[in-house]
């Protein structure tokens, strides 16, 4: 089935660094969602994007809905230890039915002491 | 508001046994989802309910998996008989309406011996 490709797969950074990750698809999406999942917990919604070109911030997090509607980006500024986890992009694609969420492969963020 | 509640948190069974998971969505949320998350992957939708009706079960292995939401509130997911490849985290999510951002529970981690 359809899969969203996220890159990088994993990141190892030092506290205080900025982080950038992206999500791409071969088909268009109407909505882009970014979730964070901590070990042993369910995904938590961070940011929702509803319009091509939209740039939305949530604290130190900023996400953008790509103009082509086939990609999205998430940036984290000045990373802190609690940013560690797996970040998933997700979205409903008209190709698969507008209400079914497809999840990306995830980006695992690790902070090196 | 209280989040999505799931139980049990962990379950270990032998292959060919049966198992059931329970989910109580956020109060007032009409739509309920069951996802399967295999280690290292993003969640994959198994079934979606709108109130007590099934909206999408196209990815549910119906020969062994079943789910119900009889009164349109809480839901159970059952596997009978379990196979080794069913080892995964089973996540429940809910949303106020279909197409709205989904809120996840912490999942049930199932291990098949």
């Amino acid at each position: 089935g359809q899969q969203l490709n996220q890159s990088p797969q994993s990141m190892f950074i030092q506290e205080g660094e900025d982080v950038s990750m992206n999500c791409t698809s071969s088909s268009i999406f109407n909505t882009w969602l970014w979730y964070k999942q901590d070990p042993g917990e369910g995904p938590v919604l961070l940011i929702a994007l509803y319009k091509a070109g939209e740039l939305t911030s949530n604290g130190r997090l900023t996400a953008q809905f790509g103009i082509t509607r086939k990609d999205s980006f998430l940036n984290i500024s000045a990373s802190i230890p609690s940013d560690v986890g797996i970040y998933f992009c997700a979205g409903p694609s008209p190709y698969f039915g507008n209400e079914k969420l497809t999840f990306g492969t995830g980006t695992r963020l690790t902070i090196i002491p | 508001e209280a989040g999505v509640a799931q139980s049990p948190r962990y379950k270990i069974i032998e292959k060919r046994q049966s198992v059931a998971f329970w989910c109580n969505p956020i109060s007032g949320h009409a739509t309920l989802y069951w996802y399967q998350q295999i280690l290292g992957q993003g969640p994959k939708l198994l079934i979606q309910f709108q109130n007590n009706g099934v909206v999408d079960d196209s990815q549910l292995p119906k020969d062994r998996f079943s789910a119900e939401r009889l009164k349109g509130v809480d839901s159970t997911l059952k596997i009978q008989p379990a196979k080794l490849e069913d080892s995964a985290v089973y996540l429940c999510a809910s949303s106020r309406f279909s197409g709205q951002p989904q809120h996840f529970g912490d999942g049930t981690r199932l291990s098949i011996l």
Side-chain angles (χ1 to χ4, degrees), chain A residues 3-19:
Chain A
Q3 193 168 47
L4 296 175
N5 295 310
Q6 289 187 242
S7 68
Q9 278 192 318
S10 57
M11 302 182 73
F12 297 86
I13 62 168
Q14 291 189 323
E15 185 177 347
E17 286 187 32
D18 296 342
V19 172

Side-chain angles (χ1 to χ4, degrees), chain B residues 26-73:
Chain B
I26 293 172
S27 178
H29 281 196
T31 312
L32 185 147
Y33 314 78
W34 282 102
Y35 287 84
Q36 180 192 59
Q37 186 176 23
I38 292 172
L39 188 64
Q41 299 181 19
K44 183 188 84 171
L45 180 68
L46 293 176
I47 189 168
Q48 175 183 341
F49 290 94
Q50 180 70 22
N51 297 310
N52 61 352
V54 175
V55 173
D56 185 344
D57 63 358
S58 57
Q59 297 191 94
L60 187 74
K62 298 180 189 62
D63 58 332
R64 298 182 301 104
F65 286 63
S66 64
E68 59 184 17
R69 193 186 185 200
L70 293 176
K71 296 182 179 178
V73 181

Side-chain angles (χ1 to χ4, degrees), chain B residues 49-101:
Chain B
F49 290 94
Q50 180 70 22
N51 297 310
N52 61 352
V54 175
V55 173
D56 185 344
D57 63 358
S58 57
Q59 297 191 94
L60 187 74
K62 298 180 189 62
D63 58 332
R64 298 182 301 104
F65 286 63
S66 64
E68 59 184 17
R69 193 186 185 200
L70 293 176
K71 296 182 179 178
V73 181
D74 55 351
S75 174
T76 55
L77 175 69
K78 296 179 182 178
I79 308 175
Q80 182 179 7
K83 291 185 175 181
L84 291 175
E85 61 259 35
D86 299 333
S87 292
V89 175
Y90 291 85
L91 294 163
C92 179
S94 70
S95 61
R96 193 168 296 278
F97 302 108
S98 183
Q100 295 291 305

